Coordinates of all heavy atoms in Angstrom, one line a residue:
S1 N -87.6 15.2 -37.6 CA -88.0 15.6 -36.2 C -86.8 15.8 -35.3 O -86.9 16.5 -34.3 CB -89.0 14.7 -35.6 OG -88.4 13.4 -35.5
F2 N -85.6 15.3 -35.7 CA -84.4 15.6 -34.9 C -84.0 17.0 -35.0 O -83.3 17.5 -34.2 CB -83.3 14.7 -35.3 CG -82.9 14.9 -36.8 CD1 -81.9 15.8 -37.1 CD2 -83.5 14.2 -37.8 CE1 -81.5 16.1 -38.4 CE2 -83.1 14.5 -39.1 CZ -82.1 15.4 -39.4
A3 N -84.5 17.7 -36.1 CA -84.1 19.1 -36.3 C -85.2 20.1 -36.1 O -85.0 21.2 -35.5 CB -83.6 19.2 -37.7
F4 N -86.5 19.7 -36.5 CA -87.6 20.5 -36.3 C -88.8 19.7 -36.0 O -89.0 18.6 -36.4 CB -87.9 21.3 -37.7 CG -86.8 22.1 -38.1 CD1 -85.9 21.6 -39.1 CD2 -86.6 23.4 -37.7 CE1 -84.8 22.4 -39.5 CE2 -85.6 24.2 -38.1 CZ -84.7 23.7 -39.0
E5 N -89.7 20.3 -35.2 CA -91.1 19.7 -35.0 C -92.1 20.9 -35.0 O -91.7 22.0 -34.7 CB -91.1 19.0 -33.7 CG -90.5 17.7 -33.7 CD -90.8 16.9 -32.4 OE1 -90.2 17.2 -31.3 OE2 -91.6 15.9 -32.5
L6 N -93.3 20.5 -35.4 CA -94.4 21.5 -35.4 C -95.5 21.1 -34.6 O -95.9 19.9 -34.6 CB -94.8 21.7 -36.9 CG -95.8 22.8 -37.1 CD1 -95.2 24.2 -36.9 CD2 -96.4 22.7 -38.6
F7 N -96.1 22.0 -33.8 CA -97.2 21.6 -32.9 C -98.4 22.6 -33.1 O -98.2 23.7 -33.6 CB -96.7 21.6 -31.5 CG -95.6 20.6 -31.2 CD1 -94.3 21.0 -31.3 CD2 -96.0 19.4 -30.8 CE1 -93.3 20.1 -31.1 CE2 -95.0 18.4 -30.5 CZ -93.6 18.8 -30.7
T8 N -99.5 22.2 -32.6 CA -100.7 23.1 -32.7 C -101.1 23.6 -31.3 O -102.0 24.4 -31.2 CB -101.9 22.3 -33.2 OG1 -102.3 21.2 -32.3 CG2 -101.7 21.7 -34.6
D9 N -100.3 23.3 -30.3 CA -100.6 23.8 -28.9 C -99.3 24.2 -28.3 O -98.2 23.7 -28.5 CB -101.3 22.7 -28.1 CG -100.4 21.5 -27.8 OD1 -99.7 21.1 -28.7 OD2 -100.4 21.0 -26.7
S10 N -99.5 25.2 -27.3 CA -98.3 25.8 -26.7 C -97.6 24.8 -25.7 O -96.5 25.0 -25.3 CB -98.7 27.1 -26.0 OG -99.6 26.8 -25.0
S11 N -98.4 23.7 -25.3 CA -97.7 22.7 -24.5 C -96.9 21.8 -25.3 O -96.2 20.9 -24.7 CB -98.8 21.9 -23.8 OG -99.5 22.7 -22.9
L12 N -96.9 21.9 -26.6 CA -96.1 21.1 -27.5 C -96.4 19.6 -27.4 O -95.5 18.8 -27.3 CB -94.6 21.4 -27.3 CG -94.2 22.9 -27.3 CD1 -92.7 23.0 -27.1 CD2 -94.6 23.6 -28.5
T13 N -97.6 19.3 -27.4 CA -98.1 17.9 -27.3 C -98.8 17.4 -28.5 O -98.9 16.2 -28.7 CB -98.9 17.7 -26.0 OG1 -100.1 18.5 -26.1 CG2 -98.1 18.0 -24.8
H14 N -99.4 18.3 -29.3 CA -100.2 17.9 -30.5 C -99.4 18.3 -31.8 O -99.2 19.5 -32.1 CB -101.5 18.6 -30.5 CG -102.5 18.0 -29.5 ND1 -103.8 18.1 -29.6 CD2 -102.2 17.2 -28.4 CE1 -104.4 17.4 -28.6 NE2 -103.4 16.9 -27.9
H15 N -99.0 17.3 -32.5 CA -98.1 17.5 -33.6 C -98.9 18.0 -34.9 O -100.1 17.7 -35.0 CB -97.4 16.2 -34.0 CG -96.4 15.7 -33.1 ND1 -96.7 15.1 -31.9 CD2 -95.0 15.9 -33.1 CE1 -95.5 14.8 -31.2 NE2 -94.5 15.3 -32.0
A16 N -98.2 18.6 -35.8 CA -98.7 19.0 -37.1 C -97.5 18.7 -38.1 O -96.4 18.6 -37.7 CB -99.1 20.4 -37.2
D17 N -97.9 18.5 -39.3 CA -96.9 18.2 -40.3 C -96.4 19.4 -41.1 O -97.1 20.4 -41.1 CB -97.4 17.1 -41.3 CG -98.8 17.5 -41.9 OD1 -99.7 17.9 -41.1 OD2 -99.0 17.5 -43.2
Y18 N -95.2 19.3 -41.6 CA -94.6 20.4 -42.3 C -93.7 19.8 -43.4 O -93.5 18.5 -43.5 CB -93.7 21.2 -41.4 CG -92.6 20.5 -40.8 CD1 -91.3 20.4 -41.3 CD2 -92.8 19.8 -39.6 CE1 -90.3 19.7 -40.8 CE2 -91.8 19.1 -39.0 CZ -90.5 19.0 -39.6 OH -89.5 18.3 -39.0
T19 N -93.2 20.6 -44.3 CA -92.2 20.1 -45.3 C -90.9 20.8 -45.0 O -90.8 21.9 -44.5 CB -92.6 20.5 -46.7 OG1 -92.8 21.9 -46.8 CG2 -93.9 19.8 -47.1
A20 N -89.8 20.1 -45.2 CA -88.4 20.6 -45.0 C -87.6 20.3 -46.2 O -87.4 19.2 -46.6 CB -87.8 20.0 -43.7
H21 N -87.1 21.4 -46.8 CA -86.2 21.3 -48.0 C -84.9 22.1 -47.7 O -85.0 23.2 -47.1 CB -86.9 21.8 -49.2 CG -88.2 21.0 -49.5 ND1 -88.2 19.7 -50.0 CD2 -89.5 21.4 -49.4 CE1 -89.4 19.3 -50.2 NE2 -90.2 20.3 -49.8
Q22 N -83.8 21.6 -48.2 CA -82.6 22.3 -48.1 C -82.1 22.9 -49.4 O -82.1 22.2 -50.4 CB -81.5 21.4 -47.5 CG -80.2 22.2 -47.1 CD -79.4 21.5 -46.1 OE1 -79.5 20.3 -45.9 NE2 -78.5 22.2 -45.4
Y23 N -81.8 24.1 -49.4 CA -81.2 24.8 -50.6 C -79.9 25.4 -50.2 O -79.8 26.4 -49.4 CB -82.2 25.9 -51.1 CG -83.5 25.4 -51.4 CD1 -84.6 25.4 -50.5 CD2 -83.8 24.8 -52.7 CE1 -85.8 24.9 -50.8 CE2 -85.1 24.4 -53.0 CZ -86.1 24.4 -52.0 OH -87.3 23.9 -52.3
D24 N -78.8 24.8 -50.7 CA -77.5 25.3 -50.4 C -77.3 25.2 -48.8 O -77.4 24.1 -48.3 CB -77.2 26.7 -50.9 CG -77.2 26.8 -52.4 OD1 -76.8 25.8 -53.0 OD2 -77.7 27.8 -52.9
R25 N -77.2 26.3 -48.2 CA -77.0 26.3 -46.7 C -78.2 26.8 -46.0 O -78.1 27.3 -44.8 CB -75.7 27.1 -46.4 CG -74.4 26.5 -46.9 CD -73.2 27.2 -46.3 NE -72.0 26.5 -46.7 CZ -70.8 26.9 -46.3 NH1 -70.6 27.9 -45.5 NH2 -69.7 26.2 -46.7
D26 N -79.3 26.7 -46.6 CA -80.6 27.1 -45.9 C -81.6 25.9 -45.9 O -81.7 25.2 -46.9 CB -81.3 28.2 -46.7 CG -80.5 29.5 -46.6 OD1 -79.8 29.7 -45.6 OD2 -80.6 30.4 -47.5

């Protein structure tokens, strides 16, 4: 969450989960 967060509302108050994987420099 220091790098990315996902929300379900434009007020950015309701969180949603995601996956984050790094491949080389992406």
Side-chain angles (χ1 to χ4, degrees):
S1 61
F2 63 90
F4 300 95
E5 284 190 286
L6 186 69
F7 298 90
T8 64
D9 65 322
S10 61
S11 296
L12 310 181
T13 58
H14 284 203
H15 289 81
D17 50 311
Y18 62 91
T19 59
H21 301 288
Q22 188 159 20
Y23 302 94
D24 296 327
R25 293 188 175 183
D26 292 333

